[in-house]
Amino acid sequence: MNVRQKLLGGYLLVALMIAATALIAWRADNASAERAAAQEAAQLARGVAKDIAYGLPASAEDKIVTPLYYSQRGLGEYLQRMHTTQQRDVVVVDQGKFILGDVVEENVGTVFEHDSGNEVGLTIADGEPRVFVEVSADYPGGIKQVVVPMASTGGVTIGAIILEYTPLYDQMMTGARQAQRIILTSASVATVLVLLIGFLLSGSLIRRITALTTAVRVIRSGDYSHRVPEAGRDEIGKLARAFNAMAEQLERSAREILAKEYTDSILANAGEGICGVDTAGRIAFANEAAGRITGVGVSGLLQREAALLLPEAGDHLTAGTRESVLQRSDGTAVRVEYTNSVIEKDGRPIGAVIVLRDVSRQRALEYDLRHQALHDALTGLPNRKLLLDRLEHALSRSRASGEQIALLYLDLDGFKRVNDSLGHNAGDLLLRTAADRLTAVLRPHDTVARLGGDEFAVLLEGASPPVVEELTQACLEALAKPFVMHGREALVTVSIGVVPDAARYTDADEVVRNADVAMYAAKDEGKNRAMLFETRMHEQLLNRLDQESRLRAAVHRGELRLHLQPVAGVPDGRMHGVEALVRWQDPERGLQQPGSFIPLAEETGMIIEIDRWILREACHTVRQWQDHSPHTAPAWVSVNLSAAHLETADLTDQVAGALAATGLSPHCLVLELTETMLMRDVAVTSIRLQELRELGVKIAIDDFGTGYSSLGYLRDIPVDVLKIDRSFITGMVGNARQQELVSAVMQLGHTLGLRVVAEGVEDAEQLALLTVMGCKFAQGYHLGRPEPVGTLYERLNRPAVTTS
């Protein structure tokens, strides 16, 4: 047991003694209150006994006092009065324990048997008062009773008085509990104070003792700098001051003893080579690191001229830092950086210290970092930064010497398809192979760079126009050959933009930009070709950027217009539904047809926003038409969805939101998707279309017959409408084979329960043939051109002109 435990044990013993004393006082006070309550009750019972045995005092002098003991009526009234006014219940019994009087009249005349120990009988016999607890059916919890003898005027015991004193007992105990709480509270506070004082005092002493013992252990470990607080003037404080004085003396002695060993240890274990050179330029001291770096060991360095080992290191002991290649005796070489510091005394040099560092790995790492910063990690080719740097230097040389330079900008055609189908590993292998092929067909001094993704650039220096053309063709042919990756063969081509006379442009960025523009022109021309940059290409690009900017703002500025084209019944020609089409009211170029801006919208991703506008506007328009003129309103409206919109995660929510906002019934909305879009991923597409159909929306296949020859997928994709592409209708007249094909597709759609719509009906002959084939719906210029909503509404609601 430690000191603190002993101290705390003593204080705990004192606290327990205080608690025991408080408990004894509490018990004594409780017993005293119980005795006082019983005595008081007995005293009250004796007074009642006298009143009953002697009678109540007379109200007049001539009136005779009669004992209540002999008057059952008077006794009953007396007991009832005590019960009512003083809340005391009294039972009067005779010597045989027969009840003479009780508040409960039914008990009178019965034997009192609620004293389990016959306390009543014992009191009648010996005249001593007793207390007991009555437990009965009426008082299952028990009531406290006191019994005293009742004697006649002659002193003869004639019975007993039984008085309930539970209320008196409770009153006495309530007063006692206040004193008991004070006792317990005082004892608890005293106990806590004793324990707290003991804890604090023991903690203070133990902390000071612990500080001393800890300091002794630290000193024993060799750390002489440790000190302890010197607070207090008691014995522990004196001991702390004596300890500190001893530790200070030990610290001074240790510093003096270890100074030389410490210095020698530092020099010996230093990672850098350290040599001491005397005034004659010879090495007088060398550590292990210096011997390891130079390859001759410490013994090989001592007394050796520093100038022979490290050029200029011992030349007049000049200070400074230099770097050189040190040839070792084993034939290897190491690049070292060494610093020469002169040691002076009284203003004159007395020697020098040379510090050597092996920087071979550092320089190699720096080279690797520079290489990584300027080269592509996948192919090892120069990256965009290095290409621009070389191009700038080539431009400067070309302007000075007149040498011709050219830049090729290459972008692989179909790389994304390979990457998505065969995986990224195959894509990386294709890029590395493409880099190797380009390097193989170009000249050694040409720069091939990878700009990122599947884009490459080639800097041709000293290249006349014929050479540029020849090398460009070589690049086209090299990349057109099949690529074999993981046992699979893939075909890609390349589109090349060429800037043949790069020196006439301002800087490298402009040359790269122009080559990039020419490359996109090659892609627009059909890919797998090279295009020379022309100024008009840049102008076209600027116009495209301007159109893109204006198109982005078209939706927000309210420049989009909704046109509707009727879908008529066959053969009556009456409009049943409409197809929603978009036009752009360009402030600068007037009303634009979809072909002039939809491709740009699809390429830039704006098509999703345009699709959302058409969807909401079409639903709103048809709903209003149905409200104002239900007899001419179309039964449904078809809205085209783009491929990008179909792939958005919230498409179903957008459609549901448009229907809820406009109030259009879901059965009046048809969403049209092209056959090619539907077949991109049948599993995913089917799930998405099923979600839309659960809203009540109908699905239509647009341009049917242009994407896939197989018709079996119609069983797997949830569709409601089949729209036969206009290419089948256009050449149908006079072509029996094509008529049979259209008829077969129509019959297939009807068999599957689909609504079949023939698109592109341009004349009456086509309509007549469709009528014979059993076609029920058709769409085309012959039946109605796309027109603004207001125009179509007015035309269909115009009153018919009748002639008499």
Side-chain angles (χ1 to χ4, degrees):
M1 183 179 294
N2 58 35
V3 175
R4 187 174 189 181
Q5 291 174 337
K6 292 179 179 179
L7 289 173
L8 289 177
Y11 281 104
L12 180 60
L13 181 60
V14 173
L16 291 175
M17 293 176 64
I18 293 174
T21 302
L23 182 61
I24 292 172
W26 180 83
R27 293 290 298 172
D29 187 73
N30 197 63
S32 176
E34 289 180 352
R35 286 195 300 273
Q39 291 174 359
E40 181 68 19
Q43 187 66 28
L44 290 173
R46 288 190 184 96
V48 173
K50 289 181 179 181
D51 288 343
I52 295 174
Y54 298 161
L56 296 176
S59 58
E61 293 181 359
D62 56 348
K63 189 173 183 179
I64 299 174
V65 177
T66 303
L68 298 177
Y69 180 83
Y70 299 107
S71 175
Q72 186 173 356
R73 178 179 178 183
L75 179 60
E77 291 176 352
Y78 173 78
L79 296 179
Q80 187 66 41
R81 186 167 56 252
M82 287 191 65
H83 173 75
T84 303
T85 60
Q86 301 181 19
Q87 287 79 44
R88 292 192 176 95
D89 290 339
V90 177
V91 178
V92 181
V93 299
D94 60 10
Q95 290 179 325
K97 296 177 60 175
F98 284 94
I99 298 176
L100 301 176
D102 194 350
V103 175
V104 181
E105 294 182 359
E106 292 80 357
N107 294 336
V108 176
T110 62
V111 179
F112 185 87
E113 296 177 343
H114 301 304
D115 52 337
S116 59
N118 193 29
E119 286 85 354
V120 176
L122 294 176
T123 297
I124 293 173
D126 59 15
E128 295 295 328
R130 287 178 174 80
V131 295
F132 65 92
V133 177
E134 177 184 345
V135 179
S136 63
D138 296 334
Y139 306 105
I143 57 175
K144 295 184 179 299
Q145 302 278 22
V146 61
V147 55
V148 297
M150 181 174 61
S152 65
T153 55
V156 178
T157 301
I158 58 176
I161 300 297
I162 304 168
L163 172 67
E164 177 192 351
Y165 73 101
T166 298
L168 178 63
Y169 175 84
D170 292 340
Q171 182 180 2
M172 296 291 286
M173 293 305 294
T174 299
R177 287 192 186 96
Q178 182 68 26
Q180 292 170 357
R181 280 194 292 270
I182 294 174
I183 293 172
L184 293 178
T185 302
S186 301
S188 301
V189 172
T191 301
V192 171
L193 287 176
V194 168
L195 292 175
L196 180 61
I197 292 171
F199 182 80
L200 294 176
L201 288 178
S202 63
S204 175
L205 291 173
I206 294 304
R207 279 195 298 273
R208 297 173 67 189
I209 295 173
T210 302
L212 280 171
T213 56
T214 301
V216 171
R217 286 196 295 267
V218 173
I219 290 293
R220 188 173 59 186
S221 68
D223 182 6
Y224 303 122
S225 62
H226 191 75
R227 301 292 185 272
V228 294
E230 299 180 358
R233 296 185 175 274
D234 54 5
E235 287 76 5
I236 297 178
K238 294 178 181 178
L239 181 60
R241 287 189 286 274
F243 175 84
N244 289 341
M246 178 192 69
E248 186 174 352
Q249 181 62 37
L250 288 173
E251 185 178 12
R252 284 197 299 268
S253 300
R255 283 199 301 266
E256 294 172 359
I257 295 172
L258 297 176
K260 186 177 184 306
E261 295 180 4
Y262 187 69
T263 302
D264 293 343
S265 177
I266 290 176
L267 294 174
N269 294 284
E272 297 176 332
I274 302 174
C275 297
V277 183
D278 58 18
T279 53
R282 294 180 178 276
I283 298 175
F285 168 82
N287 66 351
E288 293 290 338
R292 183 177 63 255
I293 292 172
T294 58
V296 296
V298 175
S299 59
L301 289 174
L302 296 178
Q303 298 304 314
R304 189 170 184 173
E305 290 187 16
L308 297 178
L309 183 67
L310 301 170
E312 301 182 4
D315 186 11
H316 304 297
L317 300 177
T318 55
T321 300
R322 300 173 182 84
E323 185 175 316
S324 66
V325 177
L326 176 65
Q327 296 295 332
R328 292 173 169 172
S329 57
D330 60 359
T332 60
V334 60
R335 178 169 290 276
V336 296
E337 179 185 84
Y338 56 93
T339 301
N340 187 17
S341 303
V342 178
I343 303 175
E344 295 183 349
K345 185 177 182 180
D346 299 331
R348 63 185 182 85
I350 60 172
V353 174
I354 301 175
V355 179
L356 302 96
R357 270 194 321 128
D358 183 355
V359 294
S360 302
R361 294 183 61 185
Q362 179 180 342
R363 297 297 178 260
L365 179 61
E366 291 172 354
Y367 172 80
D368 290 341
L369 291 176
R370 285 195 300 270
H371 186 272
Q372 292 175 16
L374 298 174
H375 290 78
D376 174 54
L378 178 64
T379 62
L381 296 176
N383 58 15
R384 181 182 292 271
K385 183 177 181 180
L386 182 55
L387 173 71
L388 291 174
D389 181 70
R390 291 185 180 180
L391 181 54
E392 286 288 1
H393 285 87
L395 291 174
S396 299
R397 290 193 298 270
S398 176
R399 294 183 186 113
S401 63
E403 179 184 63
Q404 292 182 314
I405 61 174
L407 184 71
L408 310 183
Y409 200 109
L410 302 86
D411 185 271
L412 299 181
D413 305 322
F415 172 74
K416 186 177 185 301
R417 182 182 65 254
V418 175
N419 208 30
D420 292 343
S421 60
L422 300 182
H424 292 286
N425 290 335
D428 291 345
L429 178 58
L430 188 149
L431 292 174
R432 287 194 294 268
T433 305
D436 294 340
R437 291 185 183 181
L438 290 175
T439 304
V441 300
L442 295 170
R443 301 170 300 177
H445 63 277
D446 294 330
T447 298
V448 182
R450 183 185 177 214
L451 304 182
D454 58 347
E455 295 180 343
F456 296 86
V458 177
L459 173 61
L460 303 175
E461 299 187 57
S464 60
V467 173
V468 173
E469 182 178 357
E470 178 186 349
L471 294 178
T472 301
Q473 185 62 33
C475 292
L476 285 168
E477 295 173 357
L479 296 180
K481 298 176 182 178
F483 290 82
V484 179
M485 294 157 297
H486 308 313
R488 293 180 177 269
E489 188 176 272
L491 293 175
V492 298
T493 56
V494 64
S495 298
I496 305 178
V498 184
V499 178
D501 188 9
R504 65 191 182 93
Y505 296 104
T506 305
D507 54 25
D509 287 329
E510 184 179 6
V511 175
V512 174
R513 183 201 66 193
N514 292 340
D516 189 14
V517 170
M519 181 272 294
Y520 275 107
K523 283 188 176 293
D524 291 340
E525 289 294 325
K527 304 179 181 179
N528 191 25
R529 67 191 67 230
M531 294 288 290
L532 298 180
F533 173 75
E534 299 176 6
T535 305
R536 65 172 179 82
M537 294 179 180
H538 187 229
E539 294 174 353
Q540 291 172 351
L541 177 62
L542 293 178
N543 290 336
R544 175 189 175 89
L545 293 175
D546 177 63
Q547 185 185 20
E548 179 181 340
S549 176
R550 289 185 290 106
L551 181 58
R552 287 187 182 278
V555 177
H556 305 291
R557 290 201 297 248
E559 296 174 2
L560 297 182
R561 300 289 182 266
L562 181 68
H563 283 207
L564 300 178
Q565 183 177 21
V567 178
V570 178
D572 58 2
R574 185 175 64 85
M575 184 186 75
H576 288 259
V578 291
E579 180 176 357
L581 302 170
V582 66
R583 303 290 187 266
W584 176 20
Q585 188 65 47
D586 190 345
E588 297 184 10
R589 302 181 181 181
L591 190 65
Q592 299 293 302
Q593 297 296 317
S596 65
F597 64 90
I598 290 298
L600 177 62
E602 291 177 340
E603 183 178 337
T604 58
M606 289 184 290
I607 189 64
I608 296 178
E609 191 171 358
I610 294 176
D611 279 356
R612 292 175 180 174
W613 180 88
I614 299 173
L615 175 65
R616 190 171 290 266
E617 190 69 15
C619 292
H620 174 72
T621 298
V622 172
R623 176 58 182 175
Q624 282 195 325
W625 194 340
Q626 291 174 347
D627 290 341
H628 291 91
S629 181
H631 63 284
T632 63
W636 75 83
V637 58
S638 296
V639 177
N640 292 279
L641 288 183
S642 63
H645 204 180
L646 180 63
E647 294 174 355
T648 58
D650 62 340
L651 174 60
T652 305
D653 294 336
Q654 292 177 26
V655 174
L659 293 171
T662 60
L664 183 69
S665 171
H667 301 291
C668 298
L669 177 62
V670 179
L671 299 178
E672 293 191 11
L673 302 101
T674 64
E675 187 178 5
T676 305
M677 287 167 50
L678 292 173
M679 295 308 297
R680 284 186 175 182
D681 190 337
V682 175
V684 176
T685 302
S686 299
I687 295 174
R688 179 60 53 84
L689 296 185
Q690 188 60 42
E691 292 176 356
L692 293 170
R693 295 188 73 198
E694 288 175 359
L695 295 177
V697 173
K698 298 185 182 302
I699 306 299
I701 301 181
D702 196 12
D703 301 336
F704 181 78
T706 60
Y708 291 81
S709 58
S710 174
L711 303 177
Y713 68 86
L714 289 175
R715 297 170 303 176
D716 305 321
I717 297 180
V719 295
D720 306 280
V721 181
L722 199 65
K723 302 191 76 173
I724 303 176
D725 187 67
R726 66 179 63 250
S727 62
F728 292 95
I729 308 301
T730 300
M732 184 176 62
V733 177
N735 189 331
R737 184 178 181 84
Q738 191 158 335
Q739 292 175 19
E740 292 176 359
L741 176 61
V742 173
S743 178
V745 172
M746 200 173 300
Q747 291 177 13
L748 173 64
H750 291 156
T751 302
L752 294 176
L754 306 180
R755 180 194 302 158
V756 180
V757 179
E759 294 185 294
V761 179
E762 308 296 336
D763 53 47
E765 289 182 286
Q766 295 173 347
L767 182 61
L769 281 174
L770 292 173
T771 303
V772 173
M773 293 178 185
C775 180
K776 297 180 181 180
F777 299 98
Q779 180 180 352
Y781 282 6
H782 179 68
L783 299 168
R785 292 174 174 269
E787 55 188 314
V789 176
T791 305
L792 180 61
Y793 179 83
E794 291 178 2
R795 181 167 62 81
L796 294 178
N797 287 277
R798 186 180 303 131
V801 178
T802 60
T803 59
S804 57

